[in-house]
Amino acid sequence: MPQPELRTADVQNGETAATIGALATPALLLDQDRLDRNLARLCSRVTARGVVLRPHMKTAKSIDVARRAYPSGPGPITVSTLAEAEYFAQYGFRDMTYAVGLAPHTAERAMRLRTAGVDLKVLLDSPEQAIMLGAAGRTARATPSALIEIDCDGHRGGLTAADPKLVIVAATLAEAGVKLAGVLTHAGESYSLCSPDALIAAAENERAHAVAAAEVLRAAGHECPVVSVGSTPTAHFAEDLTDVTEMRAGVYMFFDLVMHGVGVCTTDDIAISVLATVIGAKPEKGWILVDAGWMALSRDRGTAMQRVDQGYGLVCSLSGKVYPDLIVAQASQEHGILAMRSESAHALPDLSIGAKVRILPNHACATASQHELYNVVSARGDAIEARWPRMRGW
Amino acid sequence: MPQPELRTADVQNGETAATIGALATPALLLDQDRLDRNLARLCSRVTARGVVLRPHMKTAKSIDVARRAYPSGPGPITVSTLAEAEYFAQYGFRDMTYAVGLAPHTAERAMRLRTAGVDLKVLLDSPEQAIMLGAAGRTARATPSALIEIDCDGHRGGLTAADPKLVIVAATLAEAGVKLAGVLTHAGESYSLCSPDALIAAAENERAHAVAAAEVLRAAGHECPVVSVGSTPTAHFAEDLTDVTEMRAGVYMFFDLVMHGVGVCTTDDIAISVLATVIGAKPEKGWILVDAGWMALSRDRGTAMQRVDQGYGLVCSLSGKVYPDLIVAQASQEHGILAMRSESAHALPDLSIGAKVRILPNHACATASQHELYNVVSARGDAIEARWPRMRGW
């Protein structure tokens, strides 16, 4: 039988600590000033171009973060799982796009949300899915709503504007009694770019493919009200959004070292970090050992293919100042090995056992998903101002 | 305000499905026949050599799995976090080793478990940690127990037998009122090997370093009852365990593709897999898209450096038969792209939308940690026989 008295509140990570220094480690920190700045930056950029921003909640997975994006009440969001859709629906969100291709079980589950009053749009790119969704709609006695996925850069799924299947899918949707909400594309290849010119071109390519697909559908007699594009890099570099109706992005809320390598943010924009404690050293190897391994940082090595490889993360002081060239060079499950980049002119900082550091993540979506909650901090001091839980699962 | 009625039990992943085919995907499967076989294999190998097996719970993080390892009641275990120690203590486990280097906050927290009757041994390799642990013991009015970490292969932390610091740490422990439980080492470099001879040599190297360190300590007048070694590869290849008292291993319970690449198991021994559903295809690229991306599989690419790169996982049929050369070639957050290895002579299997597959993981510890629970299955049929929750956090 469980003996709950062995597990007391004060030993739970982050449940009672009042300051960053008092947190048990590893722990996830979220700087709300940076979060608010990142949210405002993209929102004003996109709305200034007459386009709706539909934030992707796959990165934050938190109602508290969603409320920072929408302080005056729920607005349009994108979700990556139906568990996310159900979670945000509980808090009053009603306009959602589920941006992962449809399967039979997700069609049925999506229809339950629609009959509960959620305008959930699903994604597909085949006649089989259109027929399946129509059947789920008839079973639920409700009209499904679907976006057709458009392939703009060969990254994943979707159809091109030139593919004859595009109008076949639209016709199948109409026959199956499904409302065609519009088209959706994602410039997934933009994550591998690193120059402003290439990013501007990727954004224009994304726009052009989506708009061309919408025109093909309209020419075939289908209404196609939504033209949805987006990725964090293209959202920040798109110059022309003519005929686009909405922009999706998720990682922009937190940013990360991959986005820094792409050229979308500075390290001072990165809103999440992992707090870690020094637990050992190997001076003869130039190593400092910390208690944040891949379980706290994730296995993501997204910067490995970039010009600057950040290892498993870039190390900052407790107050958030970057130690130049100090990275998490290796990670096992609960150990991180800090070391200077081989070419560095800087000396290894003096960090003794018990000292704390913050580690900036390669990939915010992956690192945040390793944690139960955000310890919310600000630039104003070292207080834990709030604890925001994350949801997970499918 | 949350509206819980939008989240019904029957849409929760794995909470009600009676068969594998009825599970929402992605979902984690655990084959309990394979689990039991893996547990029995290592237990009989180690106990036949007169050594205690101290299973590492960092992979499974589940009381139900621990009970399969110890069907007649709690025995010795290894843990990777104090949250694991507190979790297993709730279920009656009393003999534990926390195999991550000590920090001030973990020293205090470990002492709370000791005063609650748990024989928790902690790990350190410096006089600073010894002094810190002694202080935590005095505050808690209890005697701490520590293992000195020994470095056998330069993988991470620890001292060698030849390091003069070894007896200094032992003397500092004695002065600080800490009981020296013994020495502990881990052949972390064994994961990069792939021949039986190299694995046998790594196991002997691990044994020799630990035993030599214990002899140095005993010669200096310190009792050193425990000589603890272990990693899944060396545990399965050690031929001589003379003077070793205990063996630690964790991933052996489930095995994975990295262990298959090292040569410790066959793919038929791998006890966990991720169930996924086909959500699209790109025939012109030879791609099949599934709804298991890195969120379900983890970002671990541990086979990338092995002779056979398994991508993000090796694909099996719903019944568990490997599709030769079909791997998860790419993964984004909720999408996996299945493709044949480039050199394959086999054809892409015919998997249409809605079809289900099982994906064997690169690294069991990382993949299992992405999931809330194990859907327990057996070789006898497609029933979900149990649902075993996992713990997480620090």
Side-chain angles (χ1 to χ4, degrees):
Chain A
M1 289 301 294
Q3 295 168 275
E5 73 278 7
L6 289 178
R7 188 150 200 182
T8 55
D10 61 326
V11 299
Q12 292 303 288
N13 190 359
E15 282 183 18
T16 59
T19 63
I20 299 172
L23 276 177
T25 57
L28 183 64
L29 304 181
L30 170 57
D31 182 322
Q32 71 178 318
D33 300 314
R34 293 182 181 190
L35 167 67
D36 288 345
R37 195 170 72 207
N38 296 340
L39 289 170
R41 175 182 167 197
L42 189 62
C43 186
S44 61
R45 183 174 208 283
V46 170
T47 53
R49 283 162 179 77
V51 167
V52 170
L53 181 62
R54 181 183 288 278
H56 204 318
M57 300 313 302
K58 80 188 184 89
T59 308
K61 294 193 183 237
S62 153
I63 182 60
D64 300 289
V65 173
R67 285 176 178 148
R68 300 302 281 205
Y70 287 115
S72 49
I77 59 172
T78 313
V79 296
S80 68
T81 68
L82 287 180
E84 277 173 52
E86 290 155 0
Y87 168 86
F88 287 105
Q90 288 176 49
Y91 293 98
F93 283 80
R94 290 292 175 268
D95 178 2
M96 302 188 203
T97 294
Y98 169 48
V100 173
L102 201 68
H105 68 284
T106 50
E108 289 169 25
R109 195 167 157 191
M111 290 313 298
R112 280 197 286 268
L113 279 164
R114 278 191 79 80
T115 54
V118 178
D119 180 17
L120 181 69
K121 291 154 283 284
V122 299
L123 190 66
L124 47 75
D125 66 358
S126 70
E128 296 90 315
Q129 287 165 308
I131 291 165
M132 192 172 80
L133 181 59
R138 284 189 300 280
T139 303
R141 296 167 192 257
T143 305
S145 179
L147 293 150
I148 300 178
E149 185 173 6
I150 305 304
D151 178 4
C152 69
D153 60 5
H155 182 69
R156 205 154 60 196
L159 304 171
T160 60
D163 193 322
K165 268 193 268 180
L166 182 60
V167 291
I168 296 173
V169 173
T172 312
L173 287 170
E175 266 172 51
V178 178
K179 184 184 160 197
L180 175 62
V183 292
L184 177 150
T185 196
H186 167 59
E189 293 296 305
S190 68
Y191 283 64
S192 61
L193 305 176
C194 59
S195 79
D197 286 351
L199 289 161
I200 291 167
E204 174 52 23
N205 177 69
E206 185 182 46
R207 186 199 72 82
H209 276 78
V211 169
E215 283 167 1
V216 166
L217 292 169
R218 289 171 190 146
H222 301 282
E223 265 195 276
C224 183
V226 174
V227 179
S228 178
V229 301
S231 74
T232 286
T234 53
H236 288 79
F237 280 85
E239 295 194 331
D240 173 18
L241 290 173
T242 306
D243 296 333
V244 165
T245 67
E246 67 173 36
M247 177 68 78
R248 304 177 328 280
V251 77
Y252 78 101
M253 301 182 190
F254 297 160
F255 283 129
D256 54 29
L257 293 169
V258 167
M259 285 299 117
H260 171 253
V262 172
V264 188
C265 68
T266 69
T267 55
D268 286 343
D269 295 324
I270 300 175
I272 63 166
S273 59
V274 173
L275 186 72
T277 302
V278 173
I279 57 169
K282 281 261 178 185
E284 69 278 20
K285 292 195 171 188
W287 287 356
I288 295 167
L289 277 75
V290 296
D291 64 356
W294 59 253
M295 189 64 84
L297 298 169
S298 94
R299 266 290 190 205
D300 198 284
R301 287 283 291 107
T303 57
M305 266 75 70
Q306 294 188 326
R307 279 180 296 195
V308 178
D309 183 344
Q310 309 279 11
Y312 283 92
L314 183 62
V315 185
C316 305
S317 68
L318 184 56
S319 66
K321 191 170 166 4
V322 171
Y323 289 115
D325 293 331
L326 184 63
I327 60 170
V328 184
Q330 296 177 51
S332 44
Q333 186 161 337
E334 300 291 351
H335 295 82
I337 295 179
L338 312 188
M340 304 303 290
R341 295 181 204 289
S342 52
E343 71 277 20
S344 180
H346 296 273
L348 193 70
D350 183 22
L351 291 166
S352 52
I353 285 169
K356 286 187 170 148
V357 295
R358 292 194 202 191
I359 301 165
L360 299 180
N362 281 330
H363 186 172
C365 309
T367 301
S369 79
Q370 301 296 104
H371 296 264
E372 297 283 345
L373 58 81
Y374 300 98
N375 293 284
V376 181
V377 300
S378 77
R380 291 178 296 282
D382 69 346
I384 306 298
E385 305 198 344
R387 290 183 172 85
W388 292 350
R390 281 177 52 88
M391 60 77 60
R392 71 192 298 236
W394 290 275
Chain B
M1 289 301 295
Q3 294 168 275
E5 73 279 8
L6 289 178
R7 188 150 199 179
T8 53
D10 61 324
V11 299
Q12 292 302 289
N13 190 357
E15 282 182 18
T16 57
T19 63
I20 299 174
L23 276 177
T25 57
L28 184 64
L29 304 182
L30 170 56
D31 182 322
Q32 72 178 315
D33 300 316
R34 293 182 181 190
L35 168 66
D36 289 345
R37 195 171 71 206
N38 297 339
L39 289 170
R41 175 182 167 197
L42 189 63
C43 186
S44 62
R45 182 173 208 283
V46 170
T47 53
R49 285 162 178 77
V51 167
V52 171
L53 180 63
R54 181 183 288 277
H56 204 319
M57 300 313 301
K58 80 188 183 91
T59 309
K61 294 194 184 236
S62 153
I63 182 59
D64 299 289
V65 174
R67 285 176 178 149
R68 299 302 280 206
Y70 286 115
S72 48
I77 59 171
T78 313
V79 297
S80 68
T81 68
L82 287 179
E84 276 173 52
E86 290 154 0
Y87 168 86
F88 287 105
Q90 288 176 48
Y91 293 99
F93 283 80
R94 289 292 174 269
D95 177 3
M96 301 189 204
T97 293
Y98 169 48
V100 174
L102 202 67
H105 68 285
T106 49
E108 290 169 25
R109 194 167 158 192
M111 290 313 298
R112 280 196 287 269
L113 279 164
R114 278 191 80 78
T115 54
V118 178
D119 180 17
L120 180 69
K121 292 153 282 283
V122 299
L123 190 65
L124 46 76
D125 65 359
S126 71
E128 297 90 316
Q129 287 164 307
I131 291 165
M132 191 173 81
L133 181 59
R138 283 189 299 279
T139 303
R141 297 169 193 256
T143 305
S145 179
L147 294 151
I148 301 179
E149 185 174 5
I150 305 303
D151 178 3
C152 68
D153 59 5
H155 181 70
R156 207 154 60 195
L159 304 170
T160 60
D163 194 322
K165 269 193 270 180
L166 183 60
V167 291
I168 296 172
V169 173
T172 313
L173 287 170
E175 267 171 50
V178 178
K179 183 183 161 198
L180 174 62
V183 292
L184 178 150
T185 196
H186 168 60
E189 293 297 304
S190 68
Y191 283 63
S192 61
L193 306 175
C194 60
S195 78
D197 286 352
L199 290 162
I200 291 167
E204 174 52 23
N205 177 70
E206 185 182 47
R207 185 200 72 82
H209 275 79
V211 169
E215 283 166 1
V216 166
L217 292 170
R218 287 171 191 146
H222 301 283
E223 265 195 275
C224 184
V226 173
V227 178
S228 179
V229 301
S231 74
T232 286
T234 54
H236 288 80
F237 281 84
E239 296 194 329
D240 174 18
L241 290 173
T242 305
D243 296 333
V244 164
T245 66
E246 65 173 38
M247 177 68 78
R248 305 176 327 280
V251 77
Y252 78 100
M253 299 181 191
F254 297 160
F255 284 128
D256 54 28
L257 293 169
V258 167
M259 286 300 116
H260 171 252
V262 172
V264 187
C265 67
T266 69
T267 54
D268 285 343
D269 294 324
I270 300 176
I272 64 167
S273 58
V274 173
L275 186 72
T277 302
V278 173
I279 57 168
K282 280 260 180 188
E284 69 278 20
K285 291 195 172 188
W287 287 356
I288 295 167
L289 278 75
V290 296
D291 63 357
W294 59 252
M295 189 65 84
L297 298 169
S298 94
R299 266 290 191 205
D300 199 283
R301 288 283 290 106
T303 56
M305 267 76 70
Q306 295 189 326
R307 279 179 297 194
V308 178
D309 183 343
Q310 308 279 11
Y312 284 91
L314 183 61
V315 185
C316 306
S317 69
L318 184 56
S319 66
K321 191 170 166 7
V322 171
Y323 289 115
D325 294 330
L326 184 64
I327 60 170
V328 184
Q330 296 178 51
S332 44
Q333 187 160 338
E334 299 292 351
H335 295 82
I337 295 178
L338 312 187
M340 304 303 291
R341 296 181 204 288
S342 52
E343 71 278 19
S344 180
H346 296 272
L348 192 71
D350 183 21
L351 291 166
S352 52
I353 287 169
K356 286 186 170 148
V357 295
R358 291 195 202 190
I359 301 166
L360 300 179
N362 281 329
H363 186 172
C365 309
T367 301
S369 79
Q370 301 297 105
H371 296 264
E372 297 283 345
L373 59 81
Y374 301 98
N375 293 283
V376 181
V377 300
S378 77
R380 290 178 297 283
D382 69 346
I384 307 297
E385 305 200 342
R387 291 181 171 85
W388 293 349
R390 280 178 53 89
M391 59 79 58
R392 70 190 298 235
W394 291 276

